[in-house]
């Protein structure tokens, strides 16, 4: 039996990157996926990819996870189609803010809105259905939430990790589990472009990863599948770090290969 057989999984951001990777993998594990993205055509392409592999996915229409009406309609469409909600993946990302003196306030606000404010409408709309199904919530944090990489991104992801613990506490009496996956820099188009820029700070962040490579989308999805499966039935309030060992050392603590021992 597949690990997520018959479970209804809400996954935003399915147009590309980690959202697409999650939708494809969850469907392969037997989940009934309900996807969505502001990039609707890209999300529809993800739907085609999954359908060609024999998986099940519904993409009701464009999804704005920062808009309560859009999210509510998305959740209602899932329940109308499949009768339940078992898994909610509350994830979004749009990093635009750097150090305090480097960016205007609106970039800070837009990053927090995309990465933190987007979690709450999704969880709130799905909560009554999760109570009925004794379902689970998966948020996506970041190692930035554990360190001081970038002001807005660190603040939003740190708050997401804290919010996950609160959701775990409130959900436990209803049988709802809530966990977080916190990856380091992940090899998706945005970070990949950052690494090509000689002066970009992400180059310095990537250098000290002990395992020698950035995190791949499948690394994050593997953790997500485990935490939303029955194998993790007694795990809640956890933050599973997927970072190649990066958080085990301080940035810059790993010696360069050409440096003396």
């Amino acid at each position: 039996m597949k690990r997520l057989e018959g479970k209804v999984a809400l996954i935003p951001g399915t147009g590309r990157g980690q959202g697409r990777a999650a939708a494809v993998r969850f469907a392969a594990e037997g989940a009934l996926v309900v996807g969505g993205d502001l990039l609707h055509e890209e999300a529809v392409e993800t739907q085609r990819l999954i359908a060609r592999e024999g998986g099940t996915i519904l993409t009701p229409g464009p999804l704005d996870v920062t808009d309560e009406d859009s999210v509510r309609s998305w959740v209602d469409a899932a329940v109308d189609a499949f009768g339940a909600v078992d898994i909610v993946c509350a994830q979004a990302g749009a990093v635009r803010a750097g150090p305090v003196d480097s960016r205007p306030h609106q970039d800070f606000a837009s990053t927090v809105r995309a990465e933190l404010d987007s979690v709450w409408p999704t969880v709130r709309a799905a909560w009554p259905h999760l109570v009925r199904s004794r379902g689970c919530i998966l948020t996506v944090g970041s190692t930035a939430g554990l360190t001081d990489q970038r002001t807005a991104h660190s603040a939003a992801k740190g708050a997401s990790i804290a919010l996950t613990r609160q959701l775990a506490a409130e959900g436990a009496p209803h049988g709802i589990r809530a966990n977080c996956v916190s990856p380091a820099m992940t090899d998706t188009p945005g970070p990949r472009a950052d690494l090509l820029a000689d002066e970009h700070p992400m180059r310095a962040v990537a250098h000290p990863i002990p395992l020698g490579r950035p995190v791949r989308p499948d690394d994050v999805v593997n953790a997500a599948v485990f935490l939303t499966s029955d194998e993790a039935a007694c795990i809640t309030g956890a933050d599973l770090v997927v970072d190649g060992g990066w958080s085990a050392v301080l940035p810059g603590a790993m010696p360069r290969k050409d440096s003396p021992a």
Side-chain angles (χ1 to χ4, degrees), residues 226-257:
F226 166 66
L227 287 173
T228 56
S229 74
D230 292 340
E231 296 166 15
C234 201
I235 300 175
T236 192
D239 178 30
L240 179 54
V241 176
V242 181
D243 68 351
W246 183 86
S247 58
V249 299
L250 292 173
M254 293 291 287
R256 295 181 180 273
K257 292 181 179 179

PDB file of all heavy atoms in Angstrom, residues 226-257:
ATOM      1  N   PHE A 226       7.138  11.645   4.910  1.00  0.00           N
ATOM      2  CA  PHE A 226       7.240  10.947   6.195  1.00  0.00           C
ATOM      3  C   PHE A 226       6.378  11.609   7.252  1.00  0.00           C
ATOM      4  O   PHE A 226       5.592  10.950   7.953  1.00  0.00           O
ATOM      5  CB  PHE A 226       8.700  10.916   6.653  1.00  0.00           C
ATOM      6  CG  PHE A 226       8.863  10.518   8.093  1.00  0.00           C
ATOM      7  CD1 PHE A 226       8.531   9.240   8.526  1.00  0.00           C
ATOM      8  CD2 PHE A 226       9.335  11.432   9.026  1.00  0.00           C
ATOM      9  CE1 PHE A 226       8.656   8.888   9.868  1.00  0.00           C
ATOM     10  CE2 PHE A 226       9.473  11.084  10.360  1.00  0.00           C
ATOM     11  CZ  PHE A 226       9.124   9.808  10.782  1.00  0.00           C
ATOM     12  N   LEU A 227       6.488  12.935   7.412  1.00  0.00           N
ATOM     13  CA  LEU A 227       5.785  13.628   8.486  1.00  0.00           C
ATOM     14  C   LEU A 227       4.272  13.628   8.304  1.00  0.00           C
ATOM     15  O   LEU A 227       3.527  13.765   9.284  1.00  0.00           O
ATOM     16  CB  LEU A 227       6.298  15.067   8.609  1.00  0.00           C
ATOM     17  CG  LEU A 227       7.693  15.213   9.213  1.00  0.00           C
ATOM     18  CD1 LEU A 227       8.154  16.664   9.121  1.00  0.00           C
ATOM     19  CD2 LEU A 227       7.732  14.732  10.661  1.00  0.00           C
ATOM     20  N   THR A 228       3.791  13.488   7.073  1.00  0.00           N
ATOM     21  CA  THR A 228       2.345  13.470   6.835  1.00  0.00           C
ATOM     22  C   THR A 228       1.789  12.062   6.723  1.00  0.00           C
ATOM     23  O   THR A 228       0.577  11.889   6.567  1.00  0.00           O
ATOM     24  CB  THR A 228       1.993  14.257   5.554  1.00  0.00           C
ATOM     25  OG1 THR A 228       2.725  13.727   4.446  1.00  0.00           O
ATOM     26  CG2 THR A 228       2.328  15.736   5.708  1.00  0.00           C
ATOM     27  N   SER A 229       2.645  11.067   6.823  1.00  0.00           N
ATOM     28  CA  SER A 229       2.207   9.681   6.745  1.00  0.00           C
ATOM     29  C   SER A 229       1.919   9.126   8.130  1.00  0.00           C
ATOM     30  O   SER A 229       2.266   9.722   9.147  1.00  0.00           O
ATOM     31  CB  SER A 229       3.281   8.815   6.068  1.00  0.00           C
ATOM     32  OG  SER A 229       4.371   8.596   6.953  1.00  0.00           O
ATOM     33  N   ASP A 230       1.303   7.941   8.169  1.00  0.00           N
ATOM     34  CA  ASP A 230       1.014   7.295   9.451  1.00  0.00           C
ATOM     35  C   ASP A 230       2.285   6.838  10.161  1.00  0.00           C
ATOM     36  O   ASP A 230       2.248   6.533  11.357  1.00  0.00           O
ATOM     37  CB  ASP A 230       0.087   6.102   9.228  1.00  0.00           C
ATOM     38  CG  ASP A 230      -1.309   6.530   8.788  1.00  0.00           C
ATOM     39  OD1 ASP A 230      -1.673   7.706   9.022  1.00  0.00           O
ATOM     40  OD2 ASP A 230      -2.032   5.696   8.201  1.00  0.00           O
ATOM     41  N   GLU A 231       3.400   6.810   9.454  1.00  0.00           N
ATOM     42  CA  GLU A 231       4.668   6.448  10.087  1.00  0.00           C
ATOM     43  C   GLU A 231       5.066   7.460  11.156  1.00  0.00           C
ATOM     44  O   GLU A 231       5.839   7.143  12.066  1.00  0.00           O
ATOM     45  CB  GLU A 231       5.774   6.360   9.032  1.00  0.00           C
ATOM     46  CG  GLU A 231       5.551   5.251   8.011  1.00  0.00           C
ATOM     47  CD  GLU A 231       6.463   5.390   6.807  1.00  0.00           C
ATOM     48  OE1 GLU A 231       7.445   6.156   6.899  1.00  0.00           O
ATOM     49  OE2 GLU A 231       6.196   4.748   5.783  1.00  0.00           O
ATOM     50  N   ALA A 232       4.549   8.687  11.022  1.00  0.00           N
ATOM     51  CA  ALA A 232       4.877   9.757  11.980  1.00  0.00           C
ATOM     52  C   ALA A 232       3.696  10.028  12.911  1.00  0.00           C
ATOM     53  O   ALA A 232       3.513  11.150  13.386  1.00  0.00           O
ATOM     54  CB  ALA A 232       5.257  11.028  11.226  1.00  0.00           C
ATOM     55  N   ALA A 233       2.923   9.006  13.199  1.00  0.00           N
ATOM     56  CA  ALA A 233       1.675   9.176  13.957  1.00  0.00           C
ATOM     57  C   ALA A 233       1.877   9.759  15.345  1.00  0.00           C
ATOM     58  O   ALA A 233       0.949  10.340  15.915  1.00  0.00           O
ATOM     59  CB  ALA A 233       0.951   7.833  14.063  1.00  0.00           C
ATOM     60  N   CYS A 234       3.063   9.630  15.925  1.00  0.00           N
ATOM     61  CA  CYS A 234       3.311  10.165  17.259  1.00  0.00           C
ATOM     62  C   CYS A 234       4.290  11.341  17.228  1.00  0.00           C
ATOM     63  O   CYS A 234       4.915  11.678  18.228  1.00  0.00           O
ATOM     64  CB  CYS A 234       3.843   9.060  18.183  1.00  0.00           C
ATOM     65  SG  CYS A 234       3.627   9.434  19.950  1.00  0.00           S
ATOM     66  N   ILE A 235       4.424  11.972  16.067  1.00  0.00           N
ATOM     67  CA  ILE A 235       5.319  13.128  15.940  1.00  0.00           C
ATOM     68  C   ILE A 235       4.478  14.368  15.673  1.00  0.00           C
ATOM     69  O   ILE A 235       3.753  14.441  14.676  1.00  0.00           O
ATOM     70  CB  ILE A 235       6.332  12.931  14.802  1.00  0.00           C
ATOM     71  CG1 ILE A 235       7.201  11.697  15.057  1.00  0.00           C
ATOM     72  CG2 ILE A 235       7.208  14.173  14.654  1.00  0.00           C
ATOM     73  CD1 ILE A 235       8.151  11.366  13.936  1.00  0.00           C
ATOM     74  N   THR A 236       4.560  15.332  16.559  1.00  0.00           N
ATOM     75  CA  THR A 236       3.882  16.610  16.363  1.00  0.00           C
ATOM     76  C   THR A 236       4.662  17.699  17.084  1.00  0.00           C
ATOM     77  O   THR A 236       5.357  17.443  18.077  1.00  0.00           O
ATOM     78  CB  THR A 236       2.423  16.553  16.859  1.00  0.00           C
ATOM     79  OG1 THR A 236       1.720  17.715  16.392  1.00  0.00           O
ATOM     80  CG2 THR A 236       2.329  16.459  18.372  1.00  0.00           C
ATOM     81  N   GLY A 237       4.577  18.915  16.545  1.00  0.00           N
ATOM     82  CA  GLY A 237       5.325  20.039  17.112  1.00  0.00           C
ATOM     83  C   GLY A 237       6.800  20.006  16.777  1.00  0.00           C
ATOM     84  O   GLY A 237       7.581  20.750  17.369  1.00  0.00           O
ATOM     85  N   ALA A 238       7.193  19.176  15.813  1.00  0.00           N
ATOM     86  CA  ALA A 238       8.613  19.025  15.478  1.00  0.00           C
ATOM     87  C   ALA A 238       9.005  19.933  14.321  1.00  0.00           C
ATOM     88  O   ALA A 238       8.178  20.283  13.470  1.00  0.00           O
ATOM     89  CB  ALA A 238       8.919  17.572  15.118  1.00  0.00           C
ATOM     90  N   ASP A 239      10.271  20.286  14.295  1.00  0.00           N
ATOM     91  CA  ASP A 239      10.859  21.004  13.164  1.00  0.00           C
ATOM     92  C   ASP A 239      11.995  20.138  12.634  1.00  0.00           C
ATOM     93  O   ASP A 239      13.048  20.030  13.270  1.00  0.00           O
ATOM     94  CB  ASP A 239      11.383  22.374  13.599  1.00  0.00           C
ATOM     95  CG  ASP A 239      12.038  23.144  12.465  1.00  0.00           C
ATOM     96  OD1 ASP A 239      11.624  22.941  11.305  1.00  0.00           O
ATOM     97  OD2 ASP A 239      12.960  23.935  12.726  1.00  0.00           O
ATOM     98  N   LEU A 240      11.770  19.500  11.508  1.00  0.00           N
ATOM     99  CA  LEU A 240      12.757  18.597  10.922  1.00  0.00           C
ATOM    100  C   LEU A 240      13.650  19.390   9.972  1.00  0.00           C
ATOM    101  O   LEU A 240      13.196  19.893   8.942  1.00  0.00           O
ATOM    102  CB  LEU A 240      12.061  17.462  10.181  1.00  0.00           C
ATOM    103  CG  LEU A 240      12.943  16.425   9.490  1.00  0.00           C
ATOM    104  CD1 LEU A 240      13.952  15.813  10.453  1.00  0.00           C
ATOM    105  CD2 LEU A 240      12.085  15.337   8.859  1.00  0.00           C
ATOM    106  N   VAL A 241      14.910  19.521  10.338  1.00  0.00           N
ATOM    107  CA  VAL A 241      15.862  20.316   9.553  1.00  0.00           C
ATOM    108  C   VAL A 241      16.462  19.442   8.456  1.00  0.00           C
ATOM    109  O   VAL A 241      16.978  18.362   8.717  1.00  0.00           O
ATOM    110  CB  VAL A 241      16.964  20.886  10.462  1.00  0.00           C
ATOM    111  CG1 VAL A 241      18.007  21.629   9.633  1.00  0.00           C
ATOM    112  CG2 VAL A 241      16.353  21.806  11.509  1.00  0.00           C
ATOM    113  N   VAL A 242      16.399  19.934   7.229  1.00  0.00           N
ATOM    114  CA  VAL A 242      16.943  19.225   6.061  1.00  0.00           C
ATOM    115  C   VAL A 242      17.961  20.172   5.421  1.00  0.00           C
ATOM    116  O   VAL A 242      17.609  21.031   4.622  1.00  0.00           O
ATOM    117  CB  VAL A 242      15.826  18.860   5.062  1.00  0.00           C
ATOM    118  CG1 VAL A 242      16.401  18.109   3.868  1.00  0.00           C
ATOM    119  CG2 VAL A 242      14.737  18.049   5.742  1.00  0.00           C
ATOM    120  N   ASP A 243      19.226  20.013   5.795  1.00  0.00           N
ATOM    121  CA  ASP A 243      20.190  21.053   5.409  1.00  0.00           C
ATOM    122  C   ASP A 243      21.589  20.533   5.093  1.00  0.00           C
ATOM    123  O   ASP A 243      22.533  21.324   5.017  1.00  0.00           O
ATOM    124  CB  ASP A 243      20.277  22.120   6.502  1.00  0.00           C
ATOM    125  CG  ASP A 243      20.901  21.598   7.795  1.00  0.00           C
ATOM    126  OD1 ASP A 243      21.109  20.370   7.913  1.00  0.00           O
ATOM    127  OD2 ASP A 243      21.182  22.424   8.685  1.00  0.00           O
ATOM    128  N   GLY A 244      21.741  19.227   4.929  1.00  0.00           N
ATOM    129  CA  GLY A 244      23.067  18.707   4.620  1.00  0.00           C
ATOM    130  C   GLY A 244      24.087  18.925   5.711  1.00  0.00           C
ATOM    131  O   GLY A 244      25.293  18.911   5.468  1.00  0.00           O
ATOM    132  N   GLY A 245      23.609  19.142   6.946  1.00  0.00           N
ATOM    133  CA  GLY A 245      24.509  19.381   8.061  1.00  0.00           C
ATOM    134  C   GLY A 245      24.869  20.831   8.288  1.00  0.00           C
ATOM    135  O   GLY A 245      25.668  21.144   9.176  1.00  0.00           O
ATOM    136  N   TRP A 246      24.255  21.744   7.508  1.00  0.00           N
ATOM    137  CA  TRP A 246      24.634  23.162   7.578  1.00  0.00           C
ATOM    138  C   TRP A 246      24.466  23.730   8.975  1.00  0.00           C
ATOM    139  O   TRP A 246      25.322  24.472   9.473  1.00  0.00           O
ATOM    140  CB  TRP A 246      23.812  23.968   6.579  1.00  0.00           C
ATOM    141  CG  TRP A 246      24.166  25.418   6.521  1.00  0.00           C
ATOM    142  CD1 TRP A 246      25.139  26.002   5.766  1.00  0.00           C
ATOM    143  CD2 TRP A 246      23.552  26.474   7.268  1.00  0.00           C
ATOM    144  NE1 TRP A 246      25.167  27.354   5.986  1.00  0.00           N
ATOM    145  CE2 TRP A 246      24.202  27.667   6.902  1.00  0.00           C
ATOM    146  CE3 TRP A 246      22.519  26.521   8.202  1.00  0.00           C
ATOM    147  CZ2 TRP A 246      23.845  28.900   7.439  1.00  0.00           C
ATOM    148  CZ3 TRP A 246      22.171  27.748   8.741  1.00  0.00           C
ATOM    149  CH2 TRP A 246      22.834  28.920   8.351  1.00  0.00           C
ATOM    150  N   SER A 247      23.360  23.370   9.654  1.00  0.00           N
ATOM    151  CA  SER A 247      23.107  23.946  10.975  1.00  0.00           C
ATOM    152  C   SER A 247      24.013  23.365  12.047  1.00  0.00           C
ATOM    153  O   SER A 247      24.039  23.859  13.180  1.00  0.00           O
ATOM    154  CB  SER A 247      21.641  23.743  11.381  1.00  0.00           C
ATOM    155  OG  SER A 247      21.312  22.363  11.395  1.00  0.00           O
ATOM    156  N   ALA A 248      24.783  22.323  11.697  1.00  0.00           N
ATOM    157  CA  ALA A 248      25.734  21.760  12.652  1.00  0.00           C
ATOM    158  C   ALA A 248      27.007  22.590  12.751  1.00  0.00           C
ATOM    159  O   ALA A 248      27.808  22.406  13.661  1.00  0.00           O
ATOM    160  CB  ALA A 248      26.098  20.327  12.261  1.00  0.00           C
ATOM    161  N   VAL A 249      27.185  23.510  11.811  1.00  0.00           N
ATOM    162  CA  VAL A 249      28.357  24.383  11.823  1.00  0.00           C
ATOM    163  C   VAL A 249      27.897  25.814  11.590  1.00  0.00           C
ATOM    164  O   VAL A 249      26.866  26.069  10.994  1.00  0.00           O
ATOM    165  CB  VAL A 249      29.384  23.993  10.728  1.00  0.00           C
ATOM    166  CG1 VAL A 249      29.887  22.585  10.952  1.00  0.00           C
ATOM    167  CG2 VAL A 249      28.779  24.138   9.339  1.00  0.00           C
ATOM    168  N   LEU A 250      28.641  26.777  12.053  1.00  0.00           N
ATOM    169  CA  LEU A 250      28.328  28.169  11.768  1.00  0.00           C
ATOM    170  C   LEU A 250      28.730  28.492  10.342  1.00  0.00           C
ATOM    171  O   LEU A 250      29.717  27.945   9.829  1.00  0.00           O
ATOM    172  CB  LEU A 250      29.086  29.095  12.725  1.00  0.00           C
ATOM    173  CG  LEU A 250      28.664  29.034  14.187  1.00  0.00           C
ATOM    174  CD1 LEU A 250      29.617  29.883  15.020  1.00  0.00           C
ATOM    175  CD2 LEU A 250      27.234  29.525  14.349  1.00  0.00           C
ATOM    176  N   PRO A 251      28.007  29.384   9.639  1.00  0.00           N
ATOM    177  CA  PRO A 251      28.440  29.786   8.301  1.00  0.00           C
ATOM    178  C   PRO A 251      29.888  30.254   8.324  1.00  0.00           C
ATOM    179  O   PRO A 251      30.272  31.075   9.144  1.00  0.00           O
ATOM    180  CB  PRO A 251      27.485  30.928   7.951  1.00  0.00           C
ATOM    181  CG  PRO A 251      26.275  30.662   8.777  1.00  0.00           C
ATOM    182  CD  PRO A 251      26.782  30.050  10.061  1.00  0.00           C
ATOM    183  N   GLY A 252      30.693  29.665   7.455  1.00  0.00           N
ATOM    184  CA  GLY A 252      32.094  30.032   7.377  1.00  0.00           C
ATOM    185  C   GLY A 252      32.989  29.198   8.265  1.00  0.00           C
ATOM    186  O   GLY A 252      34.216  29.324   8.217  1.00  0.00           O
ATOM    187  N   ALA A 253      32.391  28.316   9.093  1.00  0.00           N
ATOM    188  CA  ALA A 253      33.212  27.520  10.004  1.00  0.00           C
ATOM    189  C   ALA A 253      33.907  26.359   9.315  1.00  0.00           C
ATOM    190  O   ALA A 253      34.930  25.880   9.791  1.00  0.00           O
ATOM    191  CB  ALA A 253      32.343  26.986  11.144  1.00  0.00           C
ATOM    192  N   MET A 254      33.352  25.902   8.197  1.00  0.00           N
ATOM    193  CA  MET A 254      33.978  24.796   7.485  1.00  0.00           C
ATOM    194  C   MET A 254      35.193  25.311   6.723  1.00  0.00           C
ATOM    195  O   MET A 254      35.116  26.323   6.015  1.00  0.00           O
ATOM    196  CB  MET A 254      32.995  24.163   6.504  1.00  0.00           C
ATOM    197  CG  MET A 254      31.825  23.455   7.181  1.00  0.00           C
ATOM    198  SD  MET A 254      32.343  21.972   8.045  1.00  0.00           S
ATOM    199  CE  MET A 254      32.639  20.904   6.629  1.00  0.00           C
ATOM    200  N   PRO A 255      36.346  24.676   6.821  1.00  0.00           N
ATOM    201  CA  PRO A 255      37.552  25.156   6.123  1.00  0.00           C
ATOM    202  C   PRO A 255      37.425  24.953   4.620  1.00  0.00           C
ATOM    203  O   PRO A 255      36.793  24.016   4.153  1.00  0.00           O
ATOM    204  CB  PRO A 255      38.649  24.286   6.696  1.00  0.00           C
ATOM    205  CG  PRO A 255      37.960  23.025   7.128  1.00  0.00           C
ATOM    206  CD  PRO A 255      36.607  23.466   7.604  1.00  0.00           C
ATOM    207  N   ARG A 256      37.963  25.875   3.876  1.00  0.00           N
ATOM    208  CA  ARG A 256      38.060  25.703   2.436  1.00  0.00           C
ATOM    209  C   ARG A 256      39.014  24.568   2.119  1.00  0.00           C
ATOM    210  O   ARG A 256      39.957  24.295   2.856  1.00  0.00           O
ATOM    211  CB  ARG A 256      38.550  27.002   1.758  1.00  0.00           C
ATOM    212  CG  ARG A 256      37.579  28.150   1.882  1.00  0.00           C
ATOM    213  CD  ARG A 256      38.127  29.383   1.177  1.00  0.00           C
ATOM    214  NE  ARG A 256      37.227  30.514   1.263  1.00  0.00           N
ATOM    215  CZ  ARG A 256      36.246  30.747   0.428  1.00  0.00           C
ATOM    216  NH1 ARG A 256      36.007  29.901  -0.563  1.00  0.00           N
ATOM    217  NH2 ARG A 256      35.468  31.799   0.578  1.00  0.00           N
ATOM    218  N   LYS A 257      38.780  23.940   0.988  1.00  0.00           N
ATOM    219  CA  LYS A 257      39.633  22.797   0.618  1.00  0.00           C
ATOM    220  C   LYS A 257      41.092  23.203   0.422  1.00  0.00           C
ATOM    221  O   LYS A 257      42.004  22.412   0.592  1.00  0.00           O
ATOM    222  CB  LYS A 257      39.079  22.131  -0.652  1.00  0.00           C
ATOM    223  CG  LYS A 257      37.754  21.436  -0.430  1.00  0.00           C
ATOM    224  CD  LYS A 257      37.251  20.768  -1.700  1.00  0.00           C
ATOM    225  CE  LYS A 257      35.928  20.058  -1.475  1.00  0.00           C
ATOM    226  NZ  LYS A 257      35.433  19.421  -2.708  1.00  0.00           N
TER     227      LYS A 257
END
